[in-house]
Amino acid sequence: MESYTEKILITGALGQIGTELTNRLVEIHGAENVVASGLDRWDKNLTSAGFYERMDVSNTQLVRQVVKDYEITTVYHLASLLSGTSERQPLFAWKLNVEPLLNFCEMAKEGLLKKIFWPSSIAVFGKGIPKENVGQDVVLNPTTVYGISKMAGEKWCEYYHDKHGVDVRSIRYPGLISWKTPAGGGTTDYAVEIFYEAVEQGKYTSFISENTAMPMLYMDDAINATLKLMEAPKENLTVRTSYNLGGLSFTPKELATEIKNEMPDFEIDYQPDFRQAIADSWPASIDDSIAKKDWGLSYDFDISEMTKDMLKNLKIKLNAN
Ligand code: AKB
């Protein structure tokens, strides 16, 4: 295996995944080897990375310059518009979710980058696909702008790998649950909001109906999976579109029951909005056996451990603010 010092660029570094992934990458590689980027102005409390670049990932020339200036070897390209927001800004979502990925793939093709991580989503599946235990290779039929952009991105990843040897790796993330940085604009975000409202108000109105199951994952498990995939030997990887990742599968009602176990006075009601139709087109559970076999995917948190951890940390965080 080729050995070199990794110099890492993270786009969307101030987002829900970006904040936590940056911290872990800094722990592993050292702050001096990690460059965070985002749209916000620089503030020393913003990130643990050694460097911060304020940049719009759609600015191809600027991104290329940053890659060259820092001699970046590995990119975690997380900047993306999620499902709910993408429906409201379809053309912008297409541009943001697909074009910067192609820019990074072109740079890798030219030898400027060695490895790219790009997140896909369970949104790629869509209508007419069985709900339960959805396999890696089912026909994709997304009906949302976000799902279409992720499906196209996956095919571009495979294309650049097969045709040009670009080492671009990807995971189909389920809904991600975390307490450090709030999610924004997704359909699975109810499963984050519910915890904030439980701690702050003792009640929550869910925009997803009570019996709609979706795959979800606690952030610690998502970060571990991402790092494991990126560390896996190339030859072990049999999927070059994007790996299925199942995580946990539960409904708003089941999550509310878990919260009630910890906070008996917690109350929930349901007022589904436009995101219900998006959730209805997504799988309830996912088969991720290929990721387990190829690169050792595993999870540490079940729904009750996750609930306890979320409530414990949010209580500290929200009281401290
Ligand atoms: C969303 O709800 O849009 C995201 C996702 C599942 O990709 N969390």
Side-chain angles (χ1 to χ4, degrees):
M1 218 176 19
E2 195 190 355
S3 117
Y4 57 90
T5 303
E6 280 202 72
K7 287 264 183 175
I8 296 165
L9 171 66
I10 303 148
T11 74
L14 310 178
Q16 190 196 13
I17 309 173
T19 322
E20 301 202 32
L21 187 60
T22 302
N23 290 343
R24 282 290 295 281
L25 289 168
V26 164
E27 276 166 29
I28 299 167
H29 298 276
E32 68 283 8
N33 290 317
V34 180
V35 183
S37 72
L39 287 173
D40 294 32
R41 277 177 202 285
W42 165 248
D43 167 341
K44 65 178 176 349
N45 301 319
L46 222 49
T47 171
S48 55
F51 306 92
Y52 178 78
E53 286 290 330
R54 187 182 187 203
M55 71 177 190
D56 174 355
V57 275
S58 309
N59 184 339
T60 48
Q61 287 314 316
L62 176 61
V63 174
R64 186 173 272 267
Q65 199 53 51
V66 166
V67 166
K68 285 185 177 165
D69 288 349
Y70 290 95
E71 300 179 335
I72 298 295
T73 60
T74 308
V75 173
Y76 289 80
H77 170 40
L78 307 177
S80 175
L81 226 59
L82 296 184
S83 54
T85 323
S86 294
E87 288 306 303
R88 295 198 163 111
Q89 303 177 66
L91 299 185
F92 177 60
W94 173 259
K95 203 172 160 46
L96 182 73
N97 290 357
V98 180
E99 289 177 10
L101 168 67
L102 301 188
N103 189 30
F104 285 123
C105 286
E106 278 295 310
M107 284 189 260
K109 176 181 151 191
E110 292 165 29
L112 281 175
L113 294 170
K114 292 189 186 297
K115 239 194 247 182
I116 302 167
F117 175 81
W118 178 76
S120 186
S121 160
I122 54 160
V124 292
F125 294 109
K127 252 196 189 151
I129 289 157
K131 282 289 224 189
E132 299 296 341
N133 214 25
V134 177
Q136 180 68 50
D137 292 323
V138 298
V139 171
L140 304 181
N141 189 23
T143 49
T144 60
V145 173
Y146 179 63
I148 294 167
S149 70
K150 289 296 180 185
M151 180 179 80
E154 287 190 6
K155 292 308 287 180
W156 278 116
C157 291
E158 187 180 50
Y159 175 84
Y160 271 93
H161 172 264
D162 292 358
K163 185 115 185 173
H164 301 294
V166 168
D167 192 0
V168 48
R169 306 178 179 199
S170 178
I171 280 174
R172 290 173 176 157
Y173 285 130
L176 298 181
I177 300 174
S178 65
W179 58 270
K180 283 191 185 143
T181 307
T187 302
T188 55
D189 289 6
Y190 90 83
V192 179
E193 286 176 12
I194 192 172
F195 286 104
Y196 277 82
E197 301 276 312
V199 172
E200 290 186 311
Q201 314 286 344
K203 58 182 189 318
Y204 179 62
T205 300
S206 171
F207 59 78
I208 296 296
S209 68
E210 60 187 319
N211 292 320
T212 305
M214 281 186 276
M216 301 278 180
L217 191 63
Y218 200 38
M219 188 58 85
D220 302 49
D221 281 332
I223 302 290
N224 285 340
T226 306
L227 296 173
K228 250 190 190 166
L229 170 63
M230 287 300 272
E231 281 155 14
K234 250 193 223 179
E235 358 13 296
N236 292 7
L237 306 183
T238 61
V239 174
R240 284 296 184 164
T241 48
S242 187
Y243 277 95
N244 269 12
L245 213 136
L248 311 162
S249 173
F250 55 78
T251 64
K253 193 175 171 185
E254 286 162 345
L255 183 55
T257 305
E258 290 293 333
I259 295 175
K260 260 178 179 298
N261 288 340
E262 306 301 315
M263 302 176 63
D265 294 336
F266 173 69
E267 284 171 24
I268 184 160
D269 63 0
Y270 302 90
Q271 282 175 27
D273 69 10
F274 73 100
R275 288 167 285 191
Q276 182 63 42
I278 300 179
D280 288 340
S281 78
W282 289 358
S285 62
I286 303 267
D287 171 4
D288 53 18
S289 49
I290 298 185
K292 286 178 175 144
K293 181 167 151 286
D294 283 5
W295 45 274
L297 169 70
S298 62
Y299 306 113
D300 289 333
F301 286 83
D302 63 19
I303 184 171
S304 93
E305 284 155 350
M306 176 194 79
T307 303
K308 289 190 181 88
D309 204 62
M310 278 295 284
L311 291 173
K312 184 185 87 194
N313 284 299
L314 272 183
K315 280 177 190 162
I316 297 167
K317 177 180 160 177
L318 297 174
N319 280 336
N321 285 342

